Structures are given as structure tokens and as C-alpha cells.
Amino acid sequence: MNSVIKNSKIWDGILKAVLVLLIVAVIATPVAGTMFTFLSEDDFSYESGGLEGSVLYQSSIVGSFMKTANIYKSQQGCYTPMFLDHLFRPYSRFGMPGFHFAMFSYVAIFLASVFAVSLVLIKNKTVSLAVILALVLSFFTMSYTRLDTDIMYWHTETLGYTLMLGFMLFALTFSVLSVRNNGYKTVIYIILSSVFAFLASGASLTLVAVNCAVMGAVLIIDYKELIERKFLVIPFVAGFIGALINAVAPGNFVRAGDSAVPGHETLLDGIRDTFTCAFGSFFKAVDIIFILTAIILIALCILYRVEVIKGGLSGIRMLIILGGVLVIHFIEAFPAAYGGKTGQLTGHLLIEHIIAVRFTMIFVAVCFAQWLREHFSKVEMQKNVLKAACAVAVLLILVLPVSRGIIHDSFTARTCRDIRSGAAVRSYRVREYVLSTFEMAEDGTDCIIYVPWDTSTESFPGMGIGADSEWFENRSAANLFGLHTTTILTP
């Protein structure tokens, strides 16, 4: 089927330009927001721990490894972000400019991985741009993305989730490329995929589960290639070994024991809670904007004759893909539901699960478009695409107020308002003042700061330091700046 859009270079160029502008509009504000970030919560602990380790062992690398090993034994198994957190120490090394550069880099690497995986999976550049737009919309501009505050502007979580998600997508990208190429290129892609898969397996167990699942999915979908070239399994093995190292960490069991809740203790309780979490979160993820985006993406994939799965898609194969994606949703929620001993996902755990649901369902939408195109005649398909486009237009008109409400509450909109109103700058200046005061205070003293200014924002986290000098964040900040105690008082 040759579409009017596909045969017209002018219309295709216009569509590409519009897609690029929309992508820039969605990501520009959150990326700019990284320039207004500051240390908060566990950042003080990891910065001071890394500094202490480098002094104690006379090596940043050895010190970071030893600190990570201690956390691995006593708290959790997330070895990759823990090691990098102690190693980088952007604030203590380079001050706020270095801290901002690190935050910007983490987000930039993640966005680069989104572009890479989309361009590799979808050969048509126009549809690739549409997929990229759908992915960044689902990350920044749909319902519940206001919870992105932690995974975008809190250094520890940005490094631990956003960067690790980028590593996972790079592992997927290079795995697909290793299947599609031969000779020395395949060797290079296998090495790159294995490295990123292993590093991504050192993240939180929720992301580790998805990492292993998608690496396994590549092998299942391209099983014919795997039969002929068994070495293609190496990236999956690397990711699986990393996952085992993470999963058996003594710290995981210590942490799980500390959070025991009656009625949510056993493995069966965890499985039950996971079904509850996955089912409830799915309908939070699939909001009206996501549905509209998916419909438009399906129409574009049909019009451009996109083929994401080689060899065609039978009805059974399509059901296997859908079933596999639902399994991924379950195993992503399981570590959070079982480890957290709760029947619901909240905060950063909820938005992380929602992102996994949306990313995988966008892939399902693209596959569904291929299945539709392959199982209907050209005339019927053209009529169905036009009907779908008309339905989208009508639906958009009907739900426009709802869509505006979702967008208004999104992370992108919140950050935009903070920057436009000056709240981001005011909050940053106050945080900068607090940190500078701590730096200039005499070693070993009790530093008490009264902050009478408004520090409220819609999209940025708090520092975590409060009035009680014995709070964990207060003591961590004191250790970082060499003080006896730190205290921040507010009206």
C-alpha cells in the first residue's frame, strides 16, 4: 500500500519537522530543569561516604568499591548506581556546576537511549520520530508524571533509575543490532550489549526484572537467528548473571525483614500484592492521552507499512507478544510489591512501573499496526486507517478538557511553571545559600540556619534537612561538610 503521505516528500518533510518540534517542546523544559537542581535526601550520605572511602583507601575506585560492598551486605543489592554514586561525587568534586553537569548528563544519556532504540527498531525515520515522541510524552507529559520529581531532579534516584533505564535501552539496542548484523560488527554489538546489560542489572530489582525480560524477548522473537548463532545469547547471560548478583545480596533480605507488615509477609502474599499493584497501575498508565497517542501511532505505522517483527505476525504470535508484555508488567511490579510489603505502589515506585507499562505498550501498538496491515486487504486497511484518524479527531475534541487537565498537571508543565514564575531560581538560590553556609562554617561546629524565604516549587524536591539534628539527612550533611550538627529552621 502506497500512502499519499509516503509518496509526498513535502508532506513527509512537514510531518518530520512537526514531530521534531514537538519532541523538543516536551523535553526542553525538564532538561533545562537539571540546571536548578541541588543535593537532597541521600545525596549527602553518598557524597560523604564516597569522600570518606577515597581518603581511607587512598583511591576513589577502591573506596567506592568498598563502600558499595558494605551497602550490598547491609542494605540492598543495587551495585551499579551505588558504585557510581560514591565514585562521581559531582558536588564535592566540582561544586554546583559539576552537580548540574552530572544531572544533565544522566538525563541526556537516557534520552539518547530512547532515540537509539527507536531508530533501530523502526527503520522508517518518520515513524521513528513518532515513536520517540510517544515515549517522551509518556515519560514527561501524561498522568502521574508529576511523580517524576524524584527520578529527574533527585541525584541519587536520577542516577539510580533514569541513567540505569538508559543503560537498559542501550543494551536492548545493541542486542537487536547484533542479531541484524554479521561478522566483526556482531562481535562489537554483543560486547556493548553485554556491558550495558550487566550494568543495568545492577540497578533496582524492578528495573533488573525488565532488563532481563527484554533481553530474553529479543532471543525469543529472533529464535531462528539464535538457533544458527548461539553466541547471540551472551548479552542475556551477562544481564542474568548481573541480576543474580543483585538478587542474592544479603542487604536485600535485611531490608525486606525490616519492612515486614502483617498480611504481606510470605511469597504468596507478594504474588497476590503484585497482581493488585500491576492491575491497578495499568489503568493509571493508560490514560486518555496515551490512548490517543497509541491510535495515532498505529495509523502512522499502517500508512508507512512499518515492519518491526521480521517474518510477519500471525495472530498467535501477536498474542504471545501481548502476553509477554503483561508478564513483564508483573515481574516489574513484583520486587516492589514483595519487598515493600504493600498492596499498592506509590511515589517513585509507581511512576517507574507506569513508565515500564507505557514503554512496552507502545511497542505492542507498533506490533499491532503490523498485524493489522498484514491481515487486511489494502482497500479495507485504507478505509480503517481513515476511520481511525476520524475517530481520533472526534475523541480529541470530546476529551480536550480532560487532556488539558492531565497536561497541566504533568511534570513538563510543572517544571515550565516553576522556571517561568521564577520559583525554580528562588528555590535554587536558597538551597545554594544553605550549602554555602555549611561550607563556610567552622569544622566541628553546630551550624543552624534559619530560612525565612519561600522555597516551595511544584517540580523540585526538598533538601530533606530539617529541624532535628539527629535526622538521617541532617547527620549525613554534617558528615559531608565536617560539622558536628546541621539544622535548618523554616517558618
Side-chain angles (χ1 to χ4, degrees), residues 115-186:
F115 277 67
V117 74
S118 301
L119 292 171
V120 167
L121 289 176
I122 311 295
K123 293 182 179 181
N124 183 280
K125 295 300 185 292
T126 305
V127 180
S128 292
L129 289 172
V131 171
I132 292 169
L133 177 59
L135 292 173
V136 296
L137 280 171
S138 68
F139 199 95
F140 296 119
T141 317
M142 294 184 185
S143 57
Y144 293 94
T145 56
R146 63 181 183 279
L147 299 173
D148 280 354
T149 290
D150 284 349
I151 62 176
M152 280 293 296
Y153 293 156
W154 173 18
H155 178 268
T156 301
E157 186 67 18
T158 302
L159 187 153
Y161 181 78
T162 308
L163 180 64
M164 294 301 108
L165 177 58
F167 284 0
M168 187 199 81
L169 293 178
F170 275 130
L172 173 60
T173 300
F174 292 124
S175 180
V176 172
L177 287 173
S178 70
V179 173
R180 292 181 179 177
N181 287 271
N182 292 286
Y184 75 93
K185 287 185 178 180
T186 294

Coordinates of all heavy atoms in Angstrom, one line a residue, residues 115-186:
F115 N 16.2 7.6 21.8 CA 16.4 7.9 20.3 C 17.0 6.6 19.7 O 16.6 6.2 18.6 CB 17.3 9.1 20.1 CG 16.6 10.4 20.2 CD1 16.1 10.9 21.4 CD2 16.4 11.2 19.1 CE1 15.4 12.1 21.5 CE2 15.8 12.4 19.2 CZ 15.3 12.9 20.4
A116 N 18.0 6.1 20.3 CA 18.7 4.9 19.7 C 17.8 3.7 19.5 O 17.8 3.1 18.4 CB 19.9 4.6 20.6
V117 N 17.1 3.3 20.5 CA 16.3 2.1 20.4 C 15.1 2.3 19.4 O 14.8 1.4 18.7 CB 15.7 1.7 21.8 CG1 14.6 2.7 22.3 CG2 15.2 0.3 21.8
S118 N 14.6 3.6 19.4 CA 13.5 3.8 18.4 C 14.0 3.8 17.0 O 13.4 3.2 16.1 CB 12.9 5.2 18.7 OG 12.4 5.3 20.0
L119 N 15.2 4.4 16.7 CA 15.7 4.4 15.4 C 16.1 3.0 14.9 O 16.1 2.7 13.7 CB 16.9 5.4 15.3 CG 16.6 6.8 15.5 CD1 17.8 7.7 15.6 CD2 15.7 7.4 14.3
V120 N 16.5 2.2 15.8 CA 17.0 0.8 15.5 C 15.7 -0.1 15.2 O 15.7 -0.9 14.3 CB 17.9 0.2 16.6 CG1 18.0 -1.3 16.4 CG2 19.2 0.9 16.5
L121 N 14.8 0.0 16.1 CA 13.6 -0.9 16.0 C 12.7 -0.5 14.8 O 12.1 -1.4 14.1 CB 12.7 -0.9 17.2 CG 13.4 -1.6 18.5 CD1 12.5 -1.4 19.7 CD2 13.6 -3.0 18.2
I122 N 12.6 0.8 14.5 CA 11.8 1.3 13.4 C 12.7 1.9 12.3 O 13.3 2.9 12.5 CB 10.8 2.4 13.9 CG1 10.0 1.9 15.1 CG2 9.8 2.7 12.8 CD1 9.1 0.7 14.9
K123 N 12.7 1.3 11.2 CA 13.6 1.8 10.1 C 13.2 3.1 9.5 O 14.0 3.9 9.1 CB 13.8 0.7 9.0 CG 14.5 -0.6 9.5 CD 14.7 -1.6 8.4 CE 15.4 -2.8 8.9 NZ 15.6 -3.8 7.9
N124 N 11.8 3.2 9.4 CA 11.3 4.5 8.8 C 11.5 5.6 9.7 O 11.1 5.6 10.9 CB 9.8 4.3 8.5 CG 9.2 5.5 7.8 OD1 8.9 6.5 8.4 ND2 9.1 5.5 6.5
K125 N 12.2 6.7 9.3 CA 12.6 7.8 10.1 C 11.5 8.6 10.6 O 11.5 9.0 11.8 CB 13.6 8.7 9.3 CG 14.9 8.1 9.0 CD 15.7 7.6 10.2 CE 17.1 7.1 9.9 NZ 17.0 5.8 9.1
T126 N 10.4 8.7 9.8 CA 9.3 9.5 10.3 C 8.5 8.8 11.4 O 8.2 9.4 12.4 CB 8.3 9.7 9.1 OG1 9.0 10.3 8.0 CG2 7.1 10.6 9.5
V127 N 8.3 7.5 11.2 CA 7.7 6.7 12.3 C 8.6 6.6 13.5 O 8.1 6.6 14.7 CB 7.3 5.3 11.8 CG1 6.6 4.6 12.9 CG2 6.3 5.5 10.6
S128 N 9.9 6.5 13.3 CA 10.8 6.5 14.4 C 10.7 7.8 15.3 O 10.6 7.7 16.5 CB 12.3 6.4 14.0 OG 12.5 5.2 13.4
L129 N 10.5 8.9 14.6 CA 10.3 10.2 15.3 C 9.0 10.2 16.1 O 8.9 10.7 17.2 CB 10.4 11.4 14.4 CG 11.7 11.7 13.8 CD1 11.6 12.8 12.7 CD2 12.7 12.2 14.9
A130 N 8.0 9.6 15.5 CA 6.7 9.5 16.1 C 6.8 8.6 17.4 O 6.2 8.9 18.4 CB 5.6 8.9 15.2
V131 N 7.5 7.5 17.3 CA 7.7 6.6 18.5 C 8.5 7.3 19.6 O 8.2 7.2 20.7 CB 8.5 5.3 18.0 CG1 8.9 4.5 19.3 CG2 7.6 4.5 17.1
I132 N 9.5 8.1 19.2 CA 10.3 8.9 20.2 C 9.4 9.9 20.9 O 9.4 10.0 22.1 CB 11.5 9.6 19.5 CG1 12.5 8.6 19.0 CG2 12.1 10.6 20.4 CD1 13.5 9.2 18.1
L133 N 8.5 10.5 20.1 CA 7.6 11.5 20.7 C 6.7 10.8 21.7 O 6.4 11.3 22.8 CB 6.8 12.2 19.6 CG 5.7 13.2 20.1 CD1 6.3 14.3 20.9 CD2 4.9 13.7 18.9
A134 N 6.2 9.6 21.3 CA 5.3 8.8 22.2 C 6.0 8.5 23.4 O 5.4 8.6 24.5 CB 4.8 7.6 21.4
L135 N 7.2 8.1 23.3 CA 8.0 7.7 24.5 C 8.2 8.8 25.5 O 8.1 8.7 26.7 CB 9.3 7.0 24.1 CG 9.2 5.7 23.4 CD1 10.6 5.2 22.9 CD2 8.6 4.6 24.3
V136 N 8.7 10.0 24.9 CA 9.0 11.1 25.8 C 7.7 11.7 26.4 O 7.7 12.2 27.5 CB 9.8 12.2 25.1 CG1 11.2 11.6 24.7 CG2 9.1 12.8 23.8
L137 N 6.6 11.7 25.6 CA 5.3 12.1 26.1 C 4.9 11.2 27.3 O 4.4 11.7 28.3 CB 4.2 12.0 25.1 CG 4.1 13.1 24.0 CD1 3.1 12.8 22.9 CD2 3.7 14.4 24.7
S138 N 5.1 9.9 27.2 CA 4.7 9.0 28.3 C 5.6 9.2 29.5 O 5.2 8.9 30.6 CB 4.8 7.6 27.8 OG 6.1 7.2 27.6
F139 N 6.8 9.7 29.3 CA 7.7 9.9 30.4 C 7.5 11.2 31.1 O 7.6 11.3 32.3 CB 9.2 9.8 29.9 CG 10.2 9.6 30.9 CD1 10.7 8.3 31.2 CD2 10.7 10.6 31.7 CE1 11.6 8.1 32.2 CE2 11.7 10.4 32.7 CZ 12.1 9.1 32.9
F140 N 7.2 12.3 30.4 CA 7.1 13.6 30.9 C 5.8 14.3 31.0 O 5.6 15.2 31.8 CB 8.1 14.5 30.1 CG 9.5 14.2 30.1 CD1 10.2 13.8 29.0 CD2 10.2 14.2 31.3 CE1 11.5 13.5 29.0 CE2 11.6 13.9 31.4 CZ 12.2 13.5 30.2
T141 N 4.8 13.9 30.1 CA 3.7 14.7 29.9 C 2.3 14.1 30.1 O 1.3 14.6 29.7 CB 3.8 15.3 28.5 OG1 5.1 15.8 28.2 CG2 2.9 16.6 28.3
M142 N 2.3 12.9 30.6 CA 1.0 12.2 30.8 C 0.6 12.2 32.3 O 1.3 12.8 33.1 CB 1.0 10.8 30.2 CG 1.2 10.8 28.7 SD 1.1 9.1 28.0 CE 1.5 9.5 26.3
S143 N -0.4 11.5 32.7 CA -0.9 11.5 34.1 C 0.2 10.8 34.9 O 0.9 9.9 34.5 CB -2.2 10.8 34.2 OG -2.1 9.5 33.6
Y144 N 0.2 11.2 36.2 CA 1.2 10.7 37.2 C 2.6 11.1 36.9 O 3.5 10.8 37.7 CB 1.0 9.2 37.4 CG -0.3 8.8 37.9 CD1 -1.3 8.4 37.1 CD2 -0.5 8.8 39.3 CE1 -2.6 8.1 37.7 CE2 -1.7 8.5 39.9 CZ -2.8 8.1 39.0 OH -4.0 7.7 39.6
T145 N 2.9 11.8 35.8 CA 4.3 12.2 35.6 C 4.8 13.3 36.6 O 6.0 13.6 36.6 CB 4.6 12.7 34.2 OG1 3.7 13.7 33.9 CG2 4.3 11.5 33.2
R146 N 3.9 13.8 37.3 CA 4.3 14.8 38.4 C 5.2 14.1 39.4 O 6.0 14.7 40.1 CB 3.1 15.4 39.1 CG 2.3 14.3 39.9 CD 1.1 15.0 40.6 NE 0.3 14.0 41.3 CZ -0.6 13.2 40.9 NH1 -0.9 13.2 39.6 NH2 -1.2 12.3 41.7
L147 N 5.1 12.8 39.4 CA 6.0 12.0 40.3 C 7.4 11.9 39.8 O 8.3 11.3 40.4 CB 5.4 10.6 40.5 CG 4.0 10.5 41.2 CD1 3.5 9.1 41.2 CD2 4.0 11.0 42.6
D148 N 7.7 12.4 38.6 CA 9.0 12.4 38.0 C 10.0 13.2 38.8 O 11.2 13.2 38.6 CB 9.0 12.9 36.6 CG 8.5 11.9 35.6 OD1 8.3 10.8 36.0 OD2 8.3 12.3 34.4
T149 N 9.5 14.0 39.8 CA 10.4 14.8 40.6 C 11.6 14.0 41.1 O 12.7 14.5 41.1 CB 9.6 15.4 41.8 OG1 8.7 16.4 41.3 CG2 10.6 16.1 42.8
D150 N 11.3 12.8 41.7 CA 12.4 12.0 42.2 C 13.3 11.5 41.1 O 14.5 11.6 41.3 CB 11.8 10.8 43.0 CG 11.2 11.2 44.3 OD1 11.5 12.4 44.7 OD2 10.5 10.4 45.0
I151 N 12.8 10.9 40.1 CA 13.6 10.3 39.1 C 14.3 11.2 38.1 O 15.1 10.8 37.3 CB 12.8 9.2 38.3 CG1 11.7 9.8 37.5 CG2 12.3 8.1 39.3 CD1 10.9 8.8 36.7
M152 N 13.9 12.5 38.2 CA 14.5 13.5 37.3 C 15.4 14.5 38.1 O 16.5 14.9 37.6 CB 13.5 14.3 36.6 CG 12.9 13.6 35.4 SD 14.1 13.4 34.0 CE 14.4 15.1 33.6
Y153 N 15.1 14.9 39.3 CA 15.8 16.0 39.9 C 16.4 15.6 41.3 O 17.0 16.5 41.9 CB 14.8 17.2 40.2 CG 14.3 17.8 38.9 CD1 13.1 18.5 38.9 CD2 15.0 17.8 37.7 CE1 12.7 19.2 37.7 CE2 14.6 18.4 36.6 CZ 13.4 19.1 36.6 OH 13.0 19.7 35.4
W154 N 16.3 14.4 41.7 CA 17.0 13.9 42.9 C 18.2 13.1 42.4 O 18.0 12.0 41.8 CB 16.0 13.1 43.7 CG 16.6 12.4 44.9 CD1 17.8 12.7 45.5 CD2 16.1 11.3 45.6 NE1 18.0 11.9 46.6 CE2 17.0 11.0 46.7 CE3 14.9 10.6 45.5 CZ2 16.8 9.9 47.6 CZ3 14.7 9.5 46.4 CH2 15.6 9.2 47.4
H155 N 19.4 13.5 42.7 CA 20.6 13.0 42.1 C 20.6 11.5 42.3 O 20.9 10.7 41.3 CB 21.8 13.6 42.7 CG 23.1 13.1 42.2 ND1 23.8 12.0 42.8 CD2 23.8 13.4 41.1 CE1 24.9 11.7 42.1 NE2 24.9 12.5 41.1
T156 N 20.5 11.0 43.5 CA 20.6 9.5 43.8 C 19.6 8.7 43.0 O 20.0 7.7 42.4 CB 20.3 9.3 45.3 OG1 21.3 10.0 46.1 CG2 20.5 7.8 45.6
E157 N 18.4 9.2 42.8 CA 17.4 8.4 42.1 C 17.5 8.6 40.6 O 17.3 7.7 39.8 CB 16.0 8.9 42.5 CG 14.8 8.1 41.9 CD 14.8 6.7 42.4 OE1 15.4 6.4 43.4 OE2 14.2 5.8 41.7
T158 N 18.0 9.8 40.2 CA 18.2 10.0 38.7 C 19.3 9.1 38.2 O 19.2 8.5 37.2 CB 18.6 11.5 38.5 OG1 17.5 12.4 39.0 CG2 18.8 11.8 37.0
L159 N 20.4 9.0 39.0 CA 21.5 8.1 38.6 C 21.0 6.7 38.7 O 21.3 5.9 37.9 CB 22.7 8.4 39.6 CG 24.0 7.7 39.2 CD1 25.2 8.5 39.7 CD2 24.0 6.3 39.8
G160 N 20.2 6.4 39.8 CA 19.8 5.0 40.0 C 18.7 4.5 39.1 O 18.7 3.3 38.9
Y161 N 17.9 5.4 38.6 CA 16.8 4.9 37.7 C 16.9 5.4 36.3 O 17.0 4.6 35.4 CB 15.4 5.2 38.3 CG 14.3 4.7 37.4 CD1 14.0 3.3 37.5 CD2 13.7 5.5 36.5 CE1 13.0 2.8 36.6 CE2 12.7 5.0 35.7 CZ 12.4 3.6 35.7 OH 11.4 3.1 34.9
T162 N 16.9 6.7 36.2 CA 16.9 7.3 34.8 C 18.1 6.9 34.0 O 18.0 6.5 32.8 CB 16.8 8.9 34.9 OG1 15.8 9.2 35.8 CG2 16.6 9.5 33.5
L163 N 19.3 7.0 34.6 CA 20.5 6.5 33.9 C 20.5 5.0 33.7 O 20.9 4.6 32.6 CB 21.8 6.9 34.7 CG 23.1 6.6 34.1 CD1 23.3 7.3 32.8 CD2 24.3 6.8 35.0
M164 N 20.1 4.3 34.7 CA 20.0 2.8 34.5 C 19.0 2.4 33.5 O 19.2 1.4 32.7 CB 19.7 2.1 35.8 CG 20.8 2.3 36.9 SD 22.4 1.7 36.5 CE 23.3 3.2 36.2
L165 N 17.9 3.1 33.4 CA 16.9 2.8 32.3 C 17.6 3.1 30.9 O 17.3 2.3 30.0 CB 15.7 3.7 32.5 CG 14.6 3.6 31.4 CD1 14.1 2.2 31.3 CD2 13.4 4.5 31.7
G166 N 18.4 4.1 30.9 CA 19.1 4.4 29.6 C 20.1 3.2 29.3 O 20.2 2.8 28.1
F167 N 20.8 2.7 30.3 CA 21.6 1.6 30.1 C 20.9 0.4 29.6 O 21.3 -0.3 28.7 CB 22.4 1.2 31.4 CG 23.5 2.1 31.8 CD1 23.8 3.2 31.0 CD2 24.2 1.9 32.9 CE1 24.9 4.1 31.3 CE2 25.3 2.8 33.3 CZ 25.6 3.8 32.5
M168 N 19.7 0.2 30.1 CA 18.9 -1.0 29.7 C 18.5 -0.8 28.2 O 18.5 -1.8 27.4 CB 17.6 -1.1 30.6 CG 16.8 -2.3 30.3 SD 15.1 -2.2 30.9 CE 14.3 -1.2 29.5
L169 N 18.1 0.4 27.8 CA 17.6 0.6 26.4 C 18.8 0.5 25.5 O 18.7 0.0 24.4 CB 17.0 2.0 26.3 CG 15.7 2.2 27.1 CD1 15.2 3.6 26.9 CD2 14.6 1.2 26.6
F170 N 20.0 0.9 25.9 CA 21.2 0.7 25.1 C 21.5 -0.8 24.9 O 21.9 -1.2 23.9 CB 22.4 1.4 25.7 CG 22.5 2.9 25.3 CD1 22.7 3.9 26.3 CD2 22.4 3.3 24.0 CE1 22.8 5.2 25.9 CE2 22.5 4.6 23.6 CZ 22.7 5.6 24.6
A171 N 21.4 -1.5 26.0 CA 21.6 -3.0 26.0 C 20.6 -3.6 24.9 O 21.0 -4.5 24.1 CB 21.4 -3.6 27.3
L172 N 19.4 -3.2 25.0 CA 18.4 -3.7 24.0 C 18.8 -3.3 22.6 O 18.7 -4.1 21.7 CB 17.0 -3.1 24.4 CG 15.9 -3.4 23.4 CD1 15.6 -4.9 23.2 CD2 14.6 -2.7 23.9
T173 N 19.2 -2.0 22.4 CA 19.5 -1.5 21.1 C 20.7 -2.4 20.5 O 20.6 -2.8 19.3 CB 20.0 -0.1 21.2 OG1 18.9 0.7 21.7 CG2 20.4 0.5 19.8
F174 N 21.7 -2.5 21.2 CA 22.9 -3.3 20.7 C 22.6 -4.8 20.6 O 23.2 -5.4 19.7 CB 24.1 -3.1 21.6 CG 24.6 -1.7 21.6 CD1 24.8 -0.9 22.8 CD2 25.0 -1.1 20.4 CE1 25.2 0.4 22.8 CE2 25.5 0.2 20.4 CZ 25.6 1.0 21.6
S175 N 21.7 -5.3 21.4 CA 21.3 -6.7 21.2 C 20.6 -6.9 19.9 O 20.8 -7.9 19.2 CB 20.4 -7.1 22.4 OG 20.0 -8.5 22.2
V176 N 19.7 -6.0 19.5 CA 19.0 -6.1 18.3 C 19.9 -5.9 17.1 O 19.9 -6.6 16.1 CB 17.9 -5.0 18.2 CG1 17.3 -4.9 16.8 CG2 16.8 -5.2 19.2
L177 N 20.9 -5.0 17.2 CA 21.9 -4.8 16.2 C 22.8 -6.0 16.0 O 23.2 -6.3 14.9 CB 22.7 -3.6 16.5 CG 22.1 -2.2 16.3 CD1 22.9 -1.1 16.8 CD2 21.7 -2.0 14.9
S178 N 23.1 -6.7 17.1 CA 23.9 -7.9 17.0 C 23.2 -9.0 16.2 O 23.8 -9.8 15.5 CB 24.3 -8.4 18.4 OG 23.1 -8.9 19.1
V179 N 21.9 -9.0 16.3 CA 21.1 -10.0 15.6 C 21.0 -9.7 14.1 O 21.1 -10.5 13.2 CB 19.7 -10.1 16.1 CG1 18.8 -11.0 15.3 CG2 19.7 -10.7 17.6
R180 N 20.9 -8.4 13.8 CA 20.8 -7.9 12.4 C 22.1 -7.8 11.6 O 22.0 -7.6 10.4 CB 20.1 -6.5 12.4 CG 18.7 -6.5 12.9 CD 18.1 -5.2 12.9 NE 16.7 -5.1 13.3 CZ 15.9 -4.0 13.4 NH1 16.5 -2.9 13.1 NH2 14.7 -4.1 13.9
N181 N 23.2 -8.0 12.3 CA 24.5 -7.8 11.6 C 25.3 -9.1 11.6 O 24.9 -10.1 12.3 CB 25.3 -6.7 12.2 CG 24.8 -5.3 11.9 OD1 25.2 -4.7 10.9 ND2 23.9 -4.8 12.7
N182 N 26.4 -9.1 10.9 CA 27.2 -10.3 10.9 C 28.7 -9.9 11.0 O 29.0 -8.7 11.0 CB 27.1 -11.1 9.5 CG 25.7 -11.7 9.4 OD1 25.4 -12.7 10.1 ND2 24.8 -11.1 8.6
G183 N 29.6 -10.9 11.2 CA 31.0 -10.6 11.3 C 31.4 -9.8 12.5 O 30.9 -9.9 13.6
Y184 N 32.4 -8.9 12.3 CA 33.0 -8.2 13.4 C 32.0 -7.2 14.0 O 32.1 -6.9 15.2 CB 34.3 -7.4 12.9 CG 34.0 -6.2 12.1 CD1 33.9 -5.0 12.7 CD2 33.8 -6.3 10.7 CE1 33.6 -3.8 12.0 CE2 33.5 -5.2 10.0 CZ 33.4 -3.9 10.6 OH 33.2 -2.8 9.9
K185 N 31.0 -6.7 13.2 CA 30.0 -5.8 13.8 C 29.2 -6.6 14.9 O 28.9 -6.0 15.9 CB 29.1 -5.3 12.7 CG 29.8 -4.3 11.8 CD 28.7 -3.8 10.8 CE 29.4 -2.7 9.9 NZ 28.4 -2.1 8.9
T186 N 28.8 -7.8 14.6 CA 28.1 -8.6 15.6 C 28.9 -8.7 16.9 O 28.3 -8.6 18.0 CB 27.7 -10.0 15.0 OG1 26.8 -9.8 13.9 CG2 27.1 -10.8 16.1

